[in-house]
Amino acid sequence: MTDKTLGPGSTLGIVGGGQLGRMIALAAANYGLKVHVYAPDQDSPAFDVAAFTTCAAYDDPQALAAFAASVDVVTYEFENIPHATADILSRHAALHPNARALATTQDRLSEKDFINGLGIPTAPFRAVDTPDDLDRAIEAIGLPAVLKTRRFGYDGKGQRILRARSEGDRNALFAEFGGAPLILEGFVAFEREVSVVGARARDGSFAAFDLCENEHRDHILALTRVPAPGLTAETGRAALDIAKRIADALDYVGVLAVEMFLVREDGAERLVVNEIAPRVHNSGHWTIEGARTSQFAQHVRAVCGWPLGDPARVGGLPVEMRNLIGDQADDWAALLAEPGAHLHLYGKGEARPGRKMGHVTRLGSDPAGS
């Protein structure tokens, strides 16, 4: 489907109804756009802020075709969209980011092959399809290592750390993953985890937010600090260059995040790419208050064919973003009472352990709780 530059009053279609879709929809409304959200769950948080909604399965061809025909451009809030779904959508509307970006990043093996093909380092890896493959991969990579599903894992799901050759029966280990294709990734002795959130427009222009430092707890992002403290300016520029090279190679349109490990060797800093997220990203939530253009507004601009906004931090201030996970969101009243705290709740009904319920952002030189 041919791209066209959209104007206010156009309709943006969003596939996926979670908090990312919700925040994209809110940003789109600020530009006078209407939003149509497609998701299978009637309780989807993004439905609460959309002009139009379709509640249907991601593999329903009639519903997908009708949805795509009703909007001017389609984007998505998560990357695990089936290839057939992306194909149906792109036949009826422009799809950004494109199907190639989806296909490349949905599979950890193809993603790492792609990144290495650009001359960008990743952790060592091997495809694992059989128990014998696993033994050969361990021989090549060594231990400890992480055995992961090639597709659909997130927030620590679909993976297991292997520390010893004798760890478990190989057939039983494979049974844990239900026969899914696997990949073994070697451990990287990293100092910290960082990420770049950037946007590429239809004309190839690129704008990135400052390099973030991320802390995970129980495999879930807990805290993001911007700018990543204590890193050289050269490392910051190198991180942004990596993100741009990836976006250009994918002919990407929209916001993407590139998660990286910072490795320090003999006093020198080096970046190793962990994974690409072809969408707006949790580590970019700070931009709503902390940047002149939020990642969500930037994504809307890009997919609509508009100029990108300024990604600079407001006042050059450092920023801290904390996720509210599970019952941490119960502290909402205290957070509202805290001067300078910017609270976002996602409208989810049940505060389950490990579920992201909201986030709070703080701007300034000494954020509370740091």
Side-chain angles (χ1 to χ4, degrees):
M1 181 64 63
T2 303
D3 268 332
K4 60 181 179 180
T5 299
L6 307 185
S10 299
T11 302
L12 169 64
I14 302 173
V15 178
Q19 65 263 24
L20 300 180
R22 180 186 178 99
M23 287 183 274
I24 294 171
L26 290 169
N30 287 335
Y31 289 132
L33 295 166
K34 297 181 176 66
V35 168
H36 188 161
V37 174
Y38 185 109
D41 186 351
Q42 190 63 58
D43 295 327
S44 296
F47 281 179
D48 294 341
V49 297
F52 312 106
T53 63
T54 295
C55 187
Y58 292 130
D59 61 356
D60 183 331
Q62 288 76 30
L64 287 166
F67 161 74
S70 74
V71 303
D72 296 295
V73 65
V74 177
T75 191
Y76 45 88
E77 66 140 21
F78 72 112
E79 57 266 49
N80 291 326
I81 298 173
H83 176 77
T85 300
D87 183 57
I88 292 169
L89 293 170
S90 60
R91 274 189 252 135
H92 297 276
L95 176 67
H96 295 304
N98 59 42
R100 183 187 172 208
L102 274 173
T104 301
T105 57
Q106 282 177 341
D107 186 302
R108 288 186 170 96
L109 181 63
S110 64
E111 180 180 75
K112 283 183 163 50
D113 282 337
F114 164 75
I115 295 167
N116 285 176
L118 297 177
I120 299 169
T122 64
F125 63 94
R126 292 290 188 280
V128 175
D129 295 314
T130 68
D132 288 342
D133 286 344
L134 179 56
D135 286 330
R136 285 190 287 268
I138 290 172
E139 184 68 31
I141 293 174
L143 295 175
V146 187
L147 187 63
K148 300 180 178 180
T149 55
R150 283 169 51 176
R151 299 170 65 89
F152 303 126
Y154 66 97
D155 287 349
K157 299 177 176 65
Q159 60 182 263
R160 178 169 169 179
I161 298 174
L162 303 181
R163 302 187 184 277
R165 285 182 177 274
S166 60
E167 189 170 340
D169 174 79
R170 292 286 184 262
N171 292 318
L173 187 59
F174 264 70
E176 289 182 20
F177 291 93
L182 305 176
I183 184 173
L184 187 73
E185 297 180 8
F187 261 33
V188 175
F190 63 91
E191 179 180 282
R192 63 180 99 170
E193 296 181 53
V194 297
S195 63
V196 170
V197 177
R200 187 176 183 272
R202 293 187 198 171
D203 64 2
S205 58
F206 183 81
F209 301 99
D210 289 335
L211 184 63
C212 307
E213 177 185 60
N214 301 314
E215 292 183 10
H216 290 77
R217 293 168 195 161
D218 299 322
H219 303 289
I220 301 172
L221 180 63
L223 173 67
T224 294
R225 294 187 183 93
V226 192
L231 300 186
T232 65
E234 182 180 4
T235 296
R237 288 192 295 270
L240 270 59
D241 178 68
I242 286 171
K244 184 178 187 303
R245 288 164 61 193
I246 288 171
D248 286 342
L250 291 171
D251 194 21
Y252 195 90
V253 174
V255 166
L256 84 167
V258 183
E259 299 178 44
M260 310 178 201
F261 298 127
L262 178 78
V263 178
R264 196 174 298 277
E265 297 171 341
D266 300 322
E269 296 173 353
R270 184 169 67 90
L271 294 168
V272 174
V273 171
N274 181 28
E275 63 182 27
I276 305 165
R279 53 175 169 78
V280 291
H281 194 256
N282 197 171
S283 68
H285 289 358
W286 65 271
T287 60
I288 297 173
E289 288 85 24
R292 292 177 179 170
T293 308
S294 78
Q295 68 164 341
F296 303 102
Q298 200 76 298
H299 187 73
V300 171
R301 285 169 171 253
V303 302
C304 289
W306 300 346
L308 298 178
D310 185 353
R313 279 176 288 122
V314 173
L317 293 172
V319 188
E320 174 188 282
M321 187 282 300
R322 288 184 181 270
N323 274 330
L324 301 175
I325 300 169
D327 61 9
Q328 292 175 354
D330 293 344
D331 294 332
W332 60 269
L335 292 168
L336 284 175
E338 179 188 322
H342 301 274
L343 176 65
H344 296 261
L345 297 175
Y346 303 148
K348 297 179 179 180
E350 183 182 358
R352 298 190 300 266
R355 193 181 195 193
K356 296 171 184 173
M357 301 298 294
H359 70 269
V360 60
T361 302
R362 301 175 175 95
L363 282 66
S365 58
D366 185 24
S370 62

